[in-house]
Every structure is written in C-alpha cells, then in structure tokens.
Amino acid sequence: MSKKAAKKGFTAGLGQLTIPLVAIAILVIFNLIRDPSFFSIEIKHNIDGNSVLAGNLITVINGASELAILAMGMTLVTAACGGQDISVGAAAAIAGSVFVKVLKSGASINAGTVILAFLLACIVAMIFGAFNGTLVAVFNIQPMIATLILYTCGRSIAYWINGGATPTVDSGIVKAIGGFIPGVPIPTPVIIVVVMAIIFKLLFHFTSLELLTQSVGINGSAARLNGINPTFIKLLSFIILGVCVSVAGCIGVGRLGLINHETLLLDVEMDTILAVAIGGNNLGGGKFKILGSIIGAYVIQTLTITLYAMNVSSTDVKAYKAIVIILLVVIGSPVVKKKFEKFMAGRASKKAASEAKGA
Amino acid sequence: MKKRFNVLLLAAILVLSFALSACSSSSSDNKSTEATKGTEATKSTEAPKPADKLIKVGVVNNPPSESGYREANVKDMEAVFSKDNGYELKTAYSLKNDEQLQAAQGFITDGVEYLLISAAETTGWDEVLKKAKEAGIKVYLFDRMIDVSEDLYEAAVVSDMAKEGDTAVQWLLDQKLDEYNVIHIQGAMGSDAQIGRTGALDKQFESGKMNKVVQQTATWDEAEAKKIVETVINSGKDFNVIYAENDGMAKGAVAALDEAGIKHGVGEKVIVMGFDCNKWALRELLAQKWNYDGQCSPFQAQIISDIIQGKKTVTDKKIINEEKGFDAKTLTQADIDTYGLGE
C-alpha cells in the first residue's frame, strides 16, 4: 500500500514536469533531424584570448539565464499570491540603472565597487518588490493590477536614474559578469543560474518556506488559522523576486556593458509567466515546482534560437512562437490532463477486464 | 471590519494620488507661467532700448525623456534659441497631442512671434494653426510633419529616413568589397527609422549586389541582437558586414563577434555599421573598432533660426535636414563633441 502511494507520488511529481520535459525533448529531436550540427559545441578563442565554449546549445543555456532566474522568483510569487508580477522587466531596468549609476559615480571600478553596486541594486529592487508586495498582501489588490503600476512607470524611473541616453560601463569585471571569467570556459550567467538554483534548494531544505508558501497559496484563511501569517509570506515572495530581478538586471548590464532602460529585458515578464506556466505550475497559486519553471525558461529559449537558426522571417517569429506555446499550454491544461487520465484509466481497466476474461 | 478599513484606506490613497498628480501637473504649469512671467519682468527692467528686443519663440516638443534623439534635439533648441542669440524661448514638452495643442494655444495667447512644433500626432492641428495665422504668428514644423494645408506654416524642417538609409548603403557600396554578405539587424518593425533604414538595404538584396545572410528584428534590443549574431556564427555561415539599425544593436552584435574571436572594424574582416551617433558609439569608431555610424539629425534649430533672421530663404516649404554619416577613417574627436548624442 505504502509502496503504491510512493509510486503514485512519484508519477504525480513527474506529472508536473512531463510537459516541459517532453517539449524540450521534441525541440531537441526536431533540431537533430533538421540539422545534426545544431548541438555541436566548439571551443573558440575570444578577443581576449580565452578559450570559451561556443555553439547553439551554449547560446540557448546562456541566453535563458535571466529568464530562468526571474522564473524562479516568479514561481514563488505565483504560488503564494495566485497571480503574477508583470513589472519584472521594468524593475530589472531600474536595478540595472542603479547598478550602472553606482559604478559610474565612483572614480574607478574594482571588485569592491561592483559588489557595492550590486548590493544597492538589490536593495532598490527589494524595495520595489516590497511595494508590489504591500499592494498585494496588505491591500488585497490583484497581483497583475498591483504590478501594472510599476510596469507602467518603471522604465521612466530607470530613465531618471541615469538621465536618458544609454550610459556605458567599460570594465573587465562587469564584462565578466555577463560574459566569461578569464580561464573559465562556461559563461558566467550559467554559473549564476546554478548558484541561484542551489540557494533556492537550500532555502527550501533548511526552512519551511516551501510548505508555508503552498499552504498560503492553497487557502490563505486556513493557513492563518494554522498560525501562518499570509501577509508576511506574500510580501516575502515579492521581496525574493526583487533579489532575482536585480540579479537578472545586473547580468543584462554585464552582457554588453551598457544600460538601455527602454530595451533591457524587454517583454521578459510575459516570457517569465510563460516559463512558470509551461513548467506545469498552477497559475492560481498553491503547489509549485521551481525546477519546472527553470525547464520552462529553457524551452522558450530553445524555441527562439531554433527559429533564428531556421532563419524564419523576423515578422513571423512571434506567430510561430505563439503556435507552439498555445499547444504546450493547452496540453498542460487540467481539462486535457483529466481527459487523458480518464482515457488511460479506461484502457487499463479494459486491459484488466480482457486479461480476466482470458484467465 | 478590517476589510472595510482597508478599502477606505485604498480609496484615500487613490484620491490622494489623483490630487497629487493634479497638483504636480498644475504646479508645473504654474512654474512655466511663472518662469515666463519672470523672464517678462526681467525683460521689461533690463530692456529699455528697443534695439535689444528679444524675439519671442514658443517651442512645442516631445519630452527629452523620449529618446537620446529627443534629448539632443531639446538641448539644441535651447542652445540656438538662447538669450545671447536674441531669443526669448518658451517651451512645452508632452507626448500627448491634446496637451501639446493646449500648450500651443497658450503660446498664441502669450503673444509669441514664432511657433515651432514637433507634433505627437499628425492630426488635429488645423484650428490651432489657423488661430496662429490670424494672430500673425509664423509657424515652423520640425522633425515631424503635420497633416495640414501648406499655407498654414512657413516651413517644415524634417528628416528623410529613406535618405538616411541610402546614405549608409551608398557608403557601404563605396567600400568596393568583392562580396557583400550582410547580417541585417532590424529595429522595431513598422517604426519610421526601421522602414527607412531597411528600405535602402532591401533594394541591394533585390538587385543581387548584396547577399542577405540573415535579416531579423531585434526590436532595438541589444541582447537580442547578440543572440541573432551568435546563431549565425554557430551555423557557420560566412559574413563580412553587420548592418544594425541602431548603435545598441550594433554593440550587441560586436559582443557576439568578440566572444567568437572574430575581428571587426577598419581593415578587418567584418564591417560594423550602426545608427544614431551616440557618443560612446562614435568613440568605438574613433578606436577603429566600428566602421560607420549614420545619424538621423536632431539638429533643426539652426536652420529655423537662419530663416527667422533672414539668412536663409525658403524656396520649398519642406526642407530636408542634411543627414550625417561618419566614417571611422575620417572621424575626429571634434565631430564626436559636436554631433554625438548623450555622454
């Protein structure tokens, strides 16, 4: 009996990850058939003479870094509040602008100033996260409406910080954040994603945050009756997302050594929410799996890079992307899932019946 | 009970924020009128001689926060129509057409002599411009055209986006490469700049003079441009020109080249072309890492000033502003200081 339950738990757990894993498998197989060299990885020497890994696979994994980091935080917000933060792109622009502002105000850029700049960017992003969180947790405003405020004005705030134009930062350390650390062939953003994932894992392992978040998401009043403070948990989820936002913003700045408040992580909020949805998380809150969202982020990025590699005309890219995403979301929807389960159960019982007859 | 309190609090905050926003807009209005009053007061005190009379100019423009282009445009207006040059300048900035119309209306009642407009939208200006004509105010359009009959304004100084693209492509043809394998990174599809800058290159693709390696939009996004170029490099296709429709995307493309160790710039394998002439981009040209930067010139003020002062006569009402394109081989630090945008 217990074995059966464990097995059921296992399949249920995998159940959430089935869709994103199947999606990524299909994309991989499609690309292998289309062009077997798609996944070749080479070692190239960049302009500074370092040997670095290169290839489409690296481009996908590297390019999805910001999305993956944002998706981790977004999963937590989604689970706790049953809604999404649509201001992550704008908030990342603010965090990135603060990062650049601090770097530029110092006389020279060294490891100390970079860390200071990052911490300040973090604090600012956490404050904006807390602002969103207060609107949602204290005033019970729908998350999408509450974050619409920052979505609308965020990039203007980012503009004020640096006074327009596109300030550039010329520094080896900043370049290393978005590119490669000398002597390390793996892109730094990928390393940062791994570190962030480990931090989340440890956070869930050593605290009961995961359980608390789920219980608040499933039923806030019931959670309160059990001595959990839903307001605090919701607020906390937004503040944690703030940290993710500032990390993503700083990577974005590091990639090119420049901040363009209008285009930094443009439209990333929708991709982030999609990543959470593709990851099989319930957008209405409750149970969640951060791993699903991370895989979801890589699905989206693989799709984009595949379309680029196929040289799809620029006006058509979004339409193709939409078709694939509709398919993924519909297949992952509870209605289809239930139908599928019923179908499978029906087949199993039929099989059992025929076996019984045969015996 | 608590819920009701929350609702009340929310309502209070909403009302407060409305009041504040109303306050701030009205206070800025006050400020501008105060400022103009101030200048009038100083004028009346310090200008007893009629020879010193300042020419009153009202400028209706988009706010400098709109773009680096606009920032340079606003600064240029302020520099040219300065007191030292004999002007009294009044400005109003808005992205909204109705607010711009109100501002223009205000300038007419204030009795400006010249009205300069860069409209947010092309329609709805008939009434205001007719009033201006009745009041004997001369109207100049800059940067953007308006849908009105030509006799309602003196001249329009505008950019020709198609010409800008042609200038850049002509420069590329003048490089006389054996083969043109172009990576074309486009701006946001449908924007004026994208259409103009794409059009010229498309003609070359069609005539077969240049080969299209890839043509993709990065919607002005630097990081996206980098991904597009990375994908091309990964596919192993050969290319020797990067034509990015703004500086940011060119920088993204160059980042991808640097990571793959591909040489670019003057005398190297890959030619890099950008647009907008940001100062940082022009510095890349000066360092010979990029080859060309084209500009949609934001400097219309001097032309209008010359017309007002009778130094230039208007033959055709639509004056096309001369577009600049900089070649890394001939660029000087002085060019960067004069024509570069931003810092």
PDB file of all heavy atoms in Angstrom, chain B residues 167-179:
ATOM      1  N   THR B 167      22.112  56.896 -47.706  1.00  0.00           N
ATOM      2  CA  THR B 167      23.455  57.419 -47.442  1.00  0.00           C
ATOM      3  C   THR B 167      24.352  56.311 -46.905  1.00  0.00           C
ATOM      4  O   THR B 167      25.493  56.149 -47.343  1.00  0.00           O
ATOM      5  CB  THR B 167      23.386  58.562 -46.406  1.00  0.00           C
ATOM      6  OG1 THR B 167      22.319  59.438 -46.762  1.00  0.00           O
ATOM      7  CG2 THR B 167      24.680  59.338 -46.353  1.00  0.00           C
ATOM      8  N   ALA B 168      23.805  55.551 -45.954  1.00  0.00           N
ATOM      9  CA  ALA B 168      24.596  54.487 -45.336  1.00  0.00           C
ATOM     10  C   ALA B 168      24.932  53.398 -46.342  1.00  0.00           C
ATOM     11  O   ALA B 168      26.079  52.945 -46.424  1.00  0.00           O
ATOM     12  CB  ALA B 168      23.834  53.898 -44.157  1.00  0.00           C
ATOM     13  N   VAL B 169      23.932  52.990 -47.126  1.00  0.00           N
ATOM     14  CA  VAL B 169      24.153  51.904 -48.086  1.00  0.00           C
ATOM     15  C   VAL B 169      25.119  52.357 -49.180  1.00  0.00           C
ATOM     16  O   VAL B 169      25.976  51.594 -49.631  1.00  0.00           O
ATOM     17  CB  VAL B 169      22.806  51.418 -48.670  1.00  0.00           C
ATOM     18  CG1 VAL B 169      23.034  50.487 -49.837  1.00  0.00           C
ATOM     19  CG2 VAL B 169      21.992  50.720 -47.592  1.00  0.00           C
ATOM     20  N   GLN B 170      25.002  53.643 -49.585  1.00  0.00           N
ATOM     21  CA  GLN B 170      25.930  54.178 -50.584  1.00  0.00           C
ATOM     22  C   GLN B 170      27.365  54.107 -50.051  1.00  0.00           C
ATOM     23  O   GLN B 170      28.292  53.728 -50.765  1.00  0.00           O
ATOM     24  CB  GLN B 170      25.551  55.632 -50.933  1.00  0.00           C
ATOM     25  CG  GLN B 170      26.296  56.192 -52.136  1.00  0.00           C
ATOM     26  CD  GLN B 170      26.174  55.277 -53.361  1.00  0.00           C
ATOM     27  OE1 GLN B 170      25.079  54.877 -53.741  1.00  0.00           O
ATOM     28  NE2 GLN B 170      27.312  54.917 -53.968  1.00  0.00           N
ATOM     29  N   TRP B 171      27.518  54.450 -48.773  1.00  0.00           N
ATOM     30  CA  TRP B 171      28.858  54.370 -48.160  1.00  0.00           C
ATOM     31  C   TRP B 171      29.385  52.934 -48.246  1.00  0.00           C
ATOM     32  O   TRP B 171      30.541  52.713 -48.584  1.00  0.00           O
ATOM     33  CB  TRP B 171      28.783  54.823 -46.700  1.00  0.00           C
ATOM     34  CG  TRP B 171      30.094  54.640 -45.976  1.00  0.00           C
ATOM     35  CD1 TRP B 171      31.112  55.537 -45.908  1.00  0.00           C
ATOM     36  CD2 TRP B 171      30.535  53.475 -45.268  1.00  0.00           C
ATOM     37  NE1 TRP B 171      32.159  55.006 -45.200  1.00  0.00           N
ATOM     38  CE2 TRP B 171      31.844  53.741 -44.795  1.00  0.00           C
ATOM     39  CE3 TRP B 171      29.958  52.237 -44.992  1.00  0.00           C
ATOM     40  CZ2 TRP B 171      32.569  52.815 -44.061  1.00  0.00           C
ATOM     41  CZ3 TRP B 171      30.687  51.311 -44.259  1.00  0.00           C
ATOM     42  CH2 TRP B 171      31.983  51.603 -43.798  1.00  0.00           C
ATOM     43  N   LEU B 172      28.473  51.993 -47.953  1.00  0.00           N
ATOM     44  CA  LEU B 172      28.870  50.576 -47.966  1.00  0.00           C
ATOM     45  C   LEU B 172      29.300  50.150 -49.372  1.00  0.00           C
ATOM     46  O   LEU B 172      30.295  49.459 -49.551  1.00  0.00           O
ATOM     47  CB  LEU B 172      27.700  49.718 -47.462  1.00  0.00           C
ATOM     48  CG  LEU B 172      27.963  48.232 -47.256  1.00  0.00           C
ATOM     49  CD1 LEU B 172      29.133  48.015 -46.319  1.00  0.00           C
ATOM     50  CD2 LEU B 172      26.724  47.543 -46.698  1.00  0.00           C
ATOM     51  N   LEU B 173      28.545  50.621 -50.382  1.00  0.00           N
ATOM     52  CA  LEU B 173      28.888  50.290 -51.769  1.00  0.00           C
ATOM     53  C   LEU B 173      30.247  50.882 -52.138  1.00  0.00           C
ATOM     54  O   LEU B 173      31.029  50.281 -52.868  1.00  0.00           O
ATOM     55  CB  LEU B 173      27.809  50.804 -52.725  1.00  0.00           C
ATOM     56  CG  LEU B 173      26.493  50.017 -52.734  1.00  0.00           C
ATOM     57  CD1 LEU B 173      25.447  50.756 -53.552  1.00  0.00           C
ATOM     58  CD2 LEU B 173      26.710  48.621 -53.296  1.00  0.00           C
ATOM     59  N   ASP B 174      30.517  52.085 -51.604  1.00  0.00           N
ATOM     60  CA  ASP B 174      31.786  52.750 -51.905  1.00  0.00           C
ATOM     61  C   ASP B 174      32.991  52.001 -51.346  1.00  0.00           C
ATOM     62  O   ASP B 174      34.124  52.280 -51.727  1.00  0.00           O
ATOM     63  CB  ASP B 174      31.770  54.184 -51.348  1.00  0.00           C
ATOM     64  CG  ASP B 174      30.812  55.071 -52.131  1.00  0.00           C
ATOM     65  OD1 ASP B 174      30.436  54.659 -53.248  1.00  0.00           O
ATOM     66  OD2 ASP B 174      30.449  56.147 -51.633  1.00  0.00           O
ATOM     67  N   GLN B 175      32.740  51.088 -50.407  1.00  0.00           N
ATOM     68  CA  GLN B 175      33.864  50.327 -49.844  1.00  0.00           C
ATOM     69  C   GLN B 175      34.399  49.313 -50.847  1.00  0.00           C
ATOM     70  O   GLN B 175      35.474  48.759 -50.661  1.00  0.00           O
ATOM     71  CB  GLN B 175      33.441  49.604 -48.559  1.00  0.00           C
ATOM     72  CG  GLN B 175      32.910  50.523 -47.471  1.00  0.00           C
ATOM     73  CD  GLN B 175      33.851  51.674 -47.165  1.00  0.00           C
ATOM     74  OE1 GLN B 175      34.983  51.470 -46.797  1.00  0.00           O
ATOM     75  NE2 GLN B 175      33.367  52.908 -47.353  1.00  0.00           N
ATOM     76  N   LYS B 176      33.608  49.087 -51.932  1.00  0.00           N
ATOM     77  CA  LYS B 176      34.023  48.207 -53.019  1.00  0.00           C
ATOM     78  C   LYS B 176      34.553  46.853 -52.531  1.00  0.00           C
ATOM     79  O   LYS B 176      35.663  46.439 -52.862  1.00  0.00           O
ATOM     80  CB  LYS B 176      35.094  48.882 -53.890  1.00  0.00           C
ATOM     81  CG  LYS B 176      34.709  50.261 -54.388  1.00  0.00           C
ATOM     82  CD  LYS B 176      34.892  50.358 -55.889  1.00  0.00           C
ATOM     83  CE  LYS B 176      34.526  51.702 -56.479  1.00  0.00           C
ATOM     84  NZ  LYS B 176      33.396  52.389 -55.914  1.00  0.00           N
ATOM     85  N   LEU B 177      33.764  46.179 -51.727  1.00  0.00           N
ATOM     86  CA  LEU B 177      34.138  44.833 -51.294  1.00  0.00           C
ATOM     87  C   LEU B 177      33.895  43.867 -52.454  1.00  0.00           C
ATOM     88  O   LEU B 177      33.053  44.120 -53.315  1.00  0.00           O
ATOM     89  CB  LEU B 177      33.301  44.401 -50.094  1.00  0.00           C
ATOM     90  CG  LEU B 177      33.330  45.302 -48.860  1.00  0.00           C
ATOM     91  CD1 LEU B 177      32.453  44.710 -47.769  1.00  0.00           C
ATOM     92  CD2 LEU B 177      34.743  45.484 -48.350  1.00  0.00           C
ATOM     93  N   ASP B 178      34.628  42.758 -52.455  1.00  0.00           N
ATOM     94  CA  ASP B 178      34.428  41.766 -53.516  1.00  0.00           C
ATOM     95  C   ASP B 178      33.054  41.136 -53.384  1.00  0.00           C
ATOM     96  O   ASP B 178      32.411  40.773 -54.357  1.00  0.00           O
ATOM     97  CB  ASP B 178      35.494  40.659 -53.417  1.00  0.00           C
ATOM     98  CG  ASP B 178      36.882  41.249 -53.569  1.00  0.00           C
ATOM     99  OD1 ASP B 178      36.971  42.305 -54.225  1.00  0.00           O
ATOM    100  OD2 ASP B 178      37.837  40.680 -53.024  1.00  0.00           O
ATOM    101  N   GLU B 179      32.636  40.983 -52.151  1.00  0.00           N
ATOM    102  CA  GLU B 179      31.393  40.283 -51.878  1.00  0.00           C
ATOM    103  C   GLU B 179      30.737  40.953 -50.684  1.00  0.00           C
ATOM    104  O   GLU B 179      31.435  41.364 -49.759  1.00  0.00           O
ATOM    105  CB  GLU B 179      31.712  38.823 -51.523  1.00  0.00           C
ATOM    106  CG  GLU B 179      30.860  37.827 -52.248  1.00  0.00           C
ATOM    107  CD  GLU B 179      31.122  36.430 -51.718  1.00  0.00           C
ATOM    108  OE1 GLU B 179      32.140  36.223 -51.029  1.00  0.00           O
ATOM    109  OE2 GLU B 179      30.306  35.566 -51.974  1.00  0.00           O
TER     110      GLU B 179
END
